Amino acid sequence: MSLNYPYQYEALAKGDSIRLLQLKPAASNDTIIQCELIDVDLVIASEYEALSYVWGNDDEPNFIHLPSGHLKVTENLPSALRGLRYGGRSRLLWVDAVCIHQSDSTEKAQQVALMARIYRNALRVLAWLGNDDLKVINFLTILKFSKMARHLGLKSPAPENKAVIQKWFYGDPKKVVWLEAAIRELGDANFSMIYKSAWFTRMWIVQEALLAKRLVLQVGSSELDWDDFERVMIFVKAVDAALQFGPIVSREAFVFYAWNLILVRHRWKLTSKDIDEPAQIKYYMHQLKHRRCTDGRDRVFALRGLLPASSGLNIQLDYTKSVDEVYRDLARTQVKLGNMAVLSQAGLWKRQVFQLPDLIRVQSLH
């Protein structure tokens, strides 16, 4: 195995070809990360999982090793791969940072255009939230309250959940005491460490979470099914609304990112993709305005997989264009469709100079 020089990508075959990362097993967490990239046809590829994660800093060099060289990656990927490695067998993953030749703008545009299909086709989408080295998150407690939420009939993020909780404890002070104790128990279980993860803040994870057949939150070697996480979030939100006895831990992270993703996910599943497209675009741009992305162009590109071509978001994926050019393309397509409301997202009423790229919301780029 040669580890002393950078891995050289070979061009993918045209069409629906993608690369998958074969993560080799390791008996110890300290073993160097060994992988292999294999080319497959997306049409027939099905036995893989897709990784969703925050890239992190690239200040310190991190490497993964392949038979024909090494790949430099950002800090969070080696941590994720160590957490995902099996002890006795390989694991097949799609990981954007390495399965796409990031320095090739043409390939990157072609592969990003396939990302919706890649995530939709994966057996599972694994959302890497980070490590829990001290094992302070009590997943058994979290699962207990997922069952409780299901028992109470809390199935979706509906305003009526407040009334469900109030009806349940009405006239029974002991139940109120129990609910207060339940929230404290979730606090002791460090449930907030899950929804405070930086993963929830990113723009690209929205598409990845919405398109997943099955979404799994991964903390170190522990897994939490999204449905369980969502039910506990709904439970906490309903109890907070019903009792109003104290603030939710890290309310900003809870509301702006984790709860926001739950709302958007339910909206996307329930709304027909073929009606009222201008309203959908305005909704998503407004709901996702706080989310972060390093590249401002991705604020548009990350939405392409969620809306139909007729929405006007089917603009060309071209990373050779500047941020300004991408947003001008977006504005032109929307104006042609008569969707003038999208311009309200630019904050034009606050400025004397017409500057469309303000849609980006610069404060959320980093």
Side-chain angles (χ1 to χ4, degrees), residues 244-296:
Q244 299 180 342
F245 62 85
I248 293 173
V249 175
S250 301
R251 183 175 289 273
E252 180 177 341
F254 187 103
V255 175
F256 283 166
Y257 299 116
W259 186 253
N260 169 265
L261 182 58
I262 290 172
L263 293 177
V264 170
R265 201 165 184 263
H266 275 264
R267 159 85 178 225
W268 187 81
K269 287 193 298 184
L270 296 175
T271 304
S272 169
K273 309 300 183 299
D274 300 318
I275 61 172
D276 201 13
E277 288 146 3
Q280 287 194 64
I281 291 176
K282 184 179 179 182
Y283 170 83
Y284 286 115
M285 292 185 71
H286 176 73
Q287 286 292 327
L288 304 177
K289 64 184 178 183
H290 294 292
R291 296 195 173 272
R292 301 169 186 167
C293 52
T294 303
D295 189 329

Side-chain angles (χ1 to χ4, degrees), residues 187-244:
D188 293 339
N190 290 295
F191 176 65
S192 65
M193 285 185 64
I194 296 176
Y195 64 75
K196 287 194 296 183
S197 167
W199 179 82
F200 285 96
T201 70
R202 306 303 293 180
M203 184 70 179
W204 269 115
I205 67 98
V206 176
Q207 171 182 261
E208 297 158 8
L210 268 57
L211 296 174
K213 291 178 186 174
R214 183 182 173 195
L215 179 60
V216 174
L217 304 181
Q218 186 93 26
V219 182
S221 59
S222 300
E223 293 184 354
L224 179 64
D225 194 89
W226 174 268
D227 290 343
D228 289 310
F229 168 75
E230 182 178 284
R231 277 192 290 267
V232 177
M233 288 286 290
I234 291 171
F235 174 77
V236 171
K237 188 74 162 58
V239 172
D240 178 70
L243 296 182
Q244 299 180 342

Side-chain angles (χ1 to χ4, degrees), residues 312-332:
L313 268 181
N314 195 30
I315 62 176
Q316 184 180 4
L317 255 167
D318 187 351
Y319 281 96
T320 66
K321 289 187 174 183
S322 69
V323 175
D324 287 13
E325 288 174 316
V326 170
Y327 276 84
R328 289 190 185 104
D329 288 347
L330 171 64
R332 289 189 190 100

